[in-house]
Amino acid sequence: MFLKAAGIVFVASLSVVASGTARAVSESEAEQVARLLALLFDSGRTVLARHQPLINDPAIADKNFTAATFEAEVIEEFKRRSGGIDLTGHDAGRVPDRSRELLLGLLGAGKEVIAEKQPTINRKFLGYKNVTPATWGTWASRKFSRRNQVLLKQTALDFRNPNNAPDPFEAEILTRLAGPGAPARDAPPITVITDGGKRLRLILPLYHTPECLVCHGAPKGQVDISGYIKEGHVEGELAGAISVAIPLTPRNEVTVQPSPAEPPKP
């Protein structure tokens, strides 16, 4: 299953601890967790992209784009794209408890970001708010990582932030996906077992949509609304990927647990 979004990659590195006991995850379970985490993350980005005109409207103060609104839309987007998985229910037998805890943790982190950004979102007479799919992804992944020891990293071949440069594995896959003979866009995700069988990596390519091209499209070289230089991409062109890396052994275990509430950051 391939996803559409702006030109970035997310990397998640995790293993699962249930009831305080480390347990190695199977390949099939690791692949499911990886795919669903990536899909939920991209669902959040999709909702942010959909609301960019409203968020950046300087004529409206109270935009009614609340954390609850965001959460509801992400749940529906994820349900549509995941084949009907409902994060408001248990979906017994479809999603293991450990996977569901991680998914709800990621959803909660993203919701908190929108709650903290309400003063900015609702600021009148200000156009660009810097509350974009990419910035939301950075803030939400930071919260999620701190709580779950899960690394989420955004990257692309033509990354804007130097801290988001792809690692060698990601760069190799992205280069192949951008070149001739790349898999069809409806091809299954790319899954590779690495580190001598100790880790599963899953790559889901992302392709530019019209929403992406507001900042990443033509004319190439023009300054976009955020102050970056447009890359000149076109709709349907490879934008990046969501990359997930999950240990298949109990090493570097991750405990899925909440952390104390964090104060809003400016």
Side-chain angles (χ1 to χ4, degrees), residues 58-266:
I60 302 176
D62 185 1
K63 299 178 174 65
N64 199 33
F65 183 60
T66 64
T69 299
F70 169 81
E71 179 184 44
E73 291 192 22
V74 171
I75 287 172
E76 285 303 309
E77 181 72 16
F78 177 75
K79 183 177 180 180
R80 181 183 68 81
R81 295 165 69 173
S82 65
I85 294 177
D86 186 358
L87 292 178
T88 65
H90 293 290
D91 278 314
R94 297 194 64 192
V95 181
D97 289 343
R98 294 167 298 281
S99 302
R100 190 168 186 276
E101 289 175 355
L102 286 170
L103 291 168
L104 292 177
L106 181 54
L107 178 64
K111 182 181 175 182
E112 288 176 22
V113 169
I114 299 302
E116 293 170 1
K117 295 299 175 180
Q118 286 298 295
T120 300
I121 291 171
N122 294 321
R123 184 175 173 184
K124 198 173 182 180
F125 307 122
L126 176 67
Y128 178 66
K129 306 295 196 307
N130 195 36
V131 182
T132 68
T135 57
W136 173 84
T138 296
W139 298 324
S141 65
R142 183 181 299 133
K143 287 177 176 290
F144 183 64
S145 296
R146 286 173 178 170
R147 296 171 187 178
N148 300 293
Q149 303 172 35
V150 175
L151 175 64
L152 296 178
K153 171 191 167 190
Q154 302 179 107
T155 188
L157 289 175
D158 53 355
F159 55 90
R160 290 182 168 187
N161 185 336
N163 293 324
N164 297 336
D167 67 24
F169 174 83
E170 296 155 356
E172 179 182 353
I173 299 296
L174 288 169
T175 299
R176 178 157 59 90
L177 289 168
R185 290 178 56 176
D186 59 353
I190 298 171
T191 303
V192 180
I193 304 299
T194 64
D195 302 314
K198 296 178 180 178
R199 188 163 64 154
L200 178 143
R201 301 196 69 166
L202 179 144
I203 300 289
L204 294 101
L206 306 174
Y207 297 91
H208 283 294
T209 66
E211 292 82 5
C212 304
L213 301 180
V214 173
C215 291
H216 297 280
K220 183 176 182 178
Q222 183 182 77
V223 177
D224 70 12
I225 191 174
S226 68
Y228 284 96
I229 302 299
K230 291 186 174 184
E231 295 90 351
H233 292 296
V234 298
E235 185 175 356
E237 193 173 31
L238 181 72
I242 294 180
S243 172
V244 185
I246 300 185
L248 297 175
T249 69
R251 297 179 59 189
N252 300 317
E253 297 88 353
V254 172
T255 301
V256 181
Q257 60 184 7
S259 65
E262 302 174 358
K265 295 181 175 63

